[in-house]
Amino acid sequence: MNYFKLILTTLLLLVITSCSQQPPRHVIGISQCSGDIWRDKQNAELRMGAYIQGNVEVRFASAYDSDERQVQQIDSLIKTDIDAFISADNYEMGKTMGEYIAHQLQGKGRILEIKGLKDSSPAIERHNGFVQTVNRFPEIQLTGTLQGDWTEESGYTAVKNYQGDLSHIDFVFAQNDRMAMGARKAMKEKGITYPTKFCGIDGLPGKGGGIELVRDSLLDASYIYPTHGDQLIQLAINILEDKPYEKENLLKSALVTRDNANVLLMESEETMRQTAYLDQLHEKADTYLQQLGTQRAITILMAVIILIITASAVIIIMNMRRRHRLERQAFSMVVNVPAEENTPTPVLTEVTQEEKGQIEADNDARFLERLRQQVQEQMANSDFSVEDLAAQMGVSRVQLYRKVKTQTGRTPVDIIRLSRLNRSKVLLQVTDLSVSEIAYQVGFTAPSYFTKCFKEEFGMLPGDTRKS
């Protein structure tokens, strides 16, 4: 056994030495609600920020304009031990555009709004900021709020199918530039001659981007939706490594009008040129690091081989010791039993009971894991009942109650409710969704009942979780 201990100690030292050479790693999940030029730009900045940090892995997912898919992606990222969640302040964007349009109208006129994807956080927040601003002006009339889904086609369809009066609309505010251009096309096809102006959000540089559209007078204004992926990565690292950081970080941005569009385009072209140069340096650095990494890969491979050999040796030695012990114990019992008696020895019976107990414990663990998976999968289903859970577990309601109560001390109803409350607490801490939105997401049918249950379980109101 001294020889075995020497091998194990050597292996541990090798693993510890290899690990000490690796920088600490953090995993950050990014779920984009759509796939477009703006998000491509931000994703590139996020990758560059992660590369500069040197100890960050960034995982990307895109919901492709589906809020339901984005919720699933965020849940999936959280389950894979994601360390941070970062979102943008869309309320301020809607507010700024509302102030701009109200100023242009001098406090009097008619506006038509086109929202983004239904029930998505950016659409809700931009709408709230915009509406609360224009409502301060009694002589500004919001004639309608149409539903889009961030695409140009949805802006076109929303206006094309609008049954209200479009003949005297002063401004169309679409929650992004693509929908604004779709609305402009629909108004033109309808033969509207009134000089309606169109505004959007994103203010992307490059060909066909919002800045160019403003410069060419196709849009009256846009608002740059800042990407700043490098700053987002730095903020996440500060949080993860317990460094000082501001809880409220407002990314600098700018309103795009015909007065500044040309300057912004020139700045953007220079930035893109510098970015392309950095990408070339990045590729060269990667090639160099790959060459350096070959030796490290060989070292890790050798460590893995040693680990496999050592683990196999441990299993063989443990099995041999166990078999020898049982043989000695069985033999010592047999020699004290008359030859005509053919009953199992107590030692062998005891060993069998231990093994049986281990099997039962393993079965209980697997049962609880299946129970957890079923509850997690049905989290948002407010109609999910104990009967449904029992059916999916393949047992009766009574059997489910008895087994869960025995193993956890709680009833199945308690398990479902507590799982929902624990998920809601995580969402309160890592998202800016409202309490009502979170209540519905975790399967409560009424926010008031959710608040009552949350306070009973955690001793505080849901909103207080974000203050703590």
Side-chain angles (χ1 to χ4, degrees):
M1 288 304 297
N2 290 334
Y3 178 69
F4 169 72
K5 290 180 179 178
L6 178 61
I7 294 177
L8 184 59
T9 302
T10 303
L11 176 62
L12 289 174
L13 287 173
L14 176 61
V15 173
I16 291 171
T17 302
S18 299
C19 292
S20 65
Q21 297 171 353
Q22 301 292 331
R25 293 194 61 79
H26 301 297
V27 181
I28 300 175
I30 308 295
S31 176
Q32 299 283 19
C33 68
S34 181
D36 51 41
I37 301 173
W38 184 91
R39 287 164 181 82
D40 290 343
K41 181 175 182 289
Q42 185 182 62
N43 289 346
E45 293 173 354
L46 288 164
R47 291 190 188 94
M48 182 61 69
Y51 177 77
I52 292 172
Q53 292 293 332
N55 61 347
V56 179
E57 176 186 349
V58 181
R59 298 176 186 172
F60 294 93
S62 176
Y64 297 105
D65 297 319
S66 169
D67 56 330
E68 194 173 301
R69 187 184 293 115
Q70 187 168 38
V71 170
Q72 294 172 353
Q73 288 174 349
I74 292 173
D75 288 342
S76 176
L77 290 169
I78 291 173
K79 289 178 182 177
T80 57
D81 298 327
I82 295 302
D83 298 307
F85 177 86
I86 302 172
S87 184
D89 183 4
N90 288 280
Y91 177 89
E92 184 66 24
M93 300 173 197
K95 177 184 174 184
T96 300
M97 292 307 298
E99 291 172 345
Y100 170 77
I101 292 174
H103 176 73
Q104 294 298 307
L105 292 175
Q106 297 182 354
K108 184 177 181 179
R110 302 173 77 241
I111 305 173
L112 182 66
E113 180 191 22
I114 305 176
K115 293 179 64 176
L117 188 66
K118 185 178 180 181
D119 297 330
S120 66
S121 295
I124 293 171
E125 292 164 4
R126 292 180 189 183
H127 170 75
N128 290 341
F130 180 74
V131 171
Q132 290 179 21
T133 298
V134 298
N135 282 347
R136 300 202 313 262
F137 300 88
E139 295 187 74
I140 291 182
Q141 179 186 0
L142 183 58
T143 61
T145 296
L146 310 185
Q147 186 63 59
D149 62 9
W150 303 121
T151 63
E152 180 175 335
E153 179 63 26
S154 70
Y156 171 84
T157 302
V159 173
K160 194 74 173 178
N161 296 335
Y162 182 56
Q163 300 299 315
D165 181 16
L166 292 172
S167 61
H168 291 84
I169 300 295
D170 296 293
F171 266 91
V172 172
F173 165 60
Q175 291 187 351
N176 73 357
D177 295 335
R178 289 183 291 170
M179 293 191 298
M181 290 302 294
R184 189 177 188 278
K185 179 181 177 182
M187 294 279 277
K188 184 177 181 180
E189 288 186 5
K190 280 178 171 283
I192 305 299
T193 58
Y194 190 80
T196 304
K197 296 180 180 179
F198 299 85
C199 292
I201 288 177
D202 278 351
L204 290 170
K207 186 67 175 176
I211 300 178
E212 185 181 89
L213 295 173
V214 173
R215 182 199 65 185
D216 297 340
S217 300
L218 298 176
L219 295 181
D220 184 73
S222 183
Y223 184 86
I224 295 178
Y225 189 6
T227 48
H228 295 292
D230 54 338
Q231 293 185 32
L232 295 177
I233 290 293
Q234 184 61 61
L235 174 61
I237 293 301
N238 289 344
I239 295 172
L240 295 171
E241 297 183 351
D242 295 325
K243 296 179 180 178
Y245 66 93
E246 295 292 333
K247 291 186 176 180
E248 184 176 355
N249 297 269
L250 300 178
L251 299 177
K252 294 181 180 180
S253 187
L255 186 69
V256 182
T257 65
R258 282 187 290 274
D259 294 331
N260 63 4
N262 272 321
V263 174
L264 292 173
L265 282 174
M266 292 173 60
E267 291 178 349
S268 173
E269 290 172 359
E270 177 61 21
T271 300
M272 293 174 67
R273 189 183 69 82
Q274 294 293 340
T275 300
Y277 177 68
L278 288 174
D279 285 342
Q280 293 177 3
L281 292 178
H282 186 182
E283 291 176 3
K284 291 182 179 179
D286 279 347
T287 301
Y288 177 68
L289 291 175
Q290 287 173 4
Q291 294 172 351
L292 291 179
T294 301
Q295 186 60 44
R296 177 177 293 178
I298 294 173
T299 303
I300 294 175
L301 180 60
M302 292 177 61
V304 171
I305 293 173
I306 294 173
L307 179 61
I308 293 173
I309 295 173
T310 304
S312 300
V314 169
I315 293 173
I316 293 171
I317 293 172
M318 291 179 65
N319 286 337
M320 290 178 60
R321 291 185 60 194
R322 181 172 180 273
R323 185 171 68 251
H324 291 164
R325 184 178 69 252
L326 292 176
E327 289 175 352
R328 288 195 302 270
Q329 292 174 340
F331 179 77
S332 65
M333 295 301 298
V334 169
V335 295
N336 293 322
V337 177
E340 63 273 18
E341 293 188 10
N342 194 28
T343 57
T345 65
V347 171
L348 293 179
T349 301
E350 179 182 352
V351 171
T352 302
Q353 291 297 327
E354 290 177 357
E355 293 175 345
K356 182 179 179 181
Q358 183 60 48
I359 292 173
E360 291 177 352
D362 291 342
N363 288 338
D364 290 343
R366 285 193 291 270
F367 177 85
L368 290 178
E369 176 59 21
R370 282 185 57 216
L371 182 75
R372 184 193 68 80
Q373 291 177 353
Q374 294 295 336
V375 172
Q376 291 294 322
E377 290 175 1
Q378 297 293 331
M379 182 73 67
N381 182 5
S382 59
D383 296 326
F384 185 62
S385 64
V386 175
E387 287 80 3
D388 296 330
L389 180 58
Q392 293 180 4
M393 295 295 293
V395 297
S396 68
R397 178 189 174 99
V398 174
Q399 289 174 318
L400 179 68
Y401 178 90
R402 188 177 301 145
K403 196 171 183 67
V404 172
K405 184 71 173 178
T406 299
Q407 294 186 36
T408 68
R410 292 179 178 266
T411 68
V413 173
D414 293 336
I415 294 294
I416 294 173
R417 183 174 64 251
L418 183 58
S419 297
R420 286 172 168 163
L421 291 173
N422 285 334
R423 172 71 65 80
S424 71
K425 193 172 184 181
V426 172
L427 293 175
L428 284 165
Q429 293 171 341
V430 303
T431 75
D432 55 3
L433 296 175
S434 68
V435 172
S436 295
E437 289 176 312
I438 290 175
Y440 294 130
Q441 278 197 21
V442 299
F444 281 87
T445 57
S448 58
Y449 179 64
F450 163 71
T451 299
K452 176 179 177 296
C453 294
F454 191 96
K455 190 173 189 305
E456 289 176 353
E457 182 64 32
F458 301 116
M460 65 175 70
L461 294 173
D464 295 337
T465 302
R466 287 171 167 160
K467 301 175 184 177
S468 59

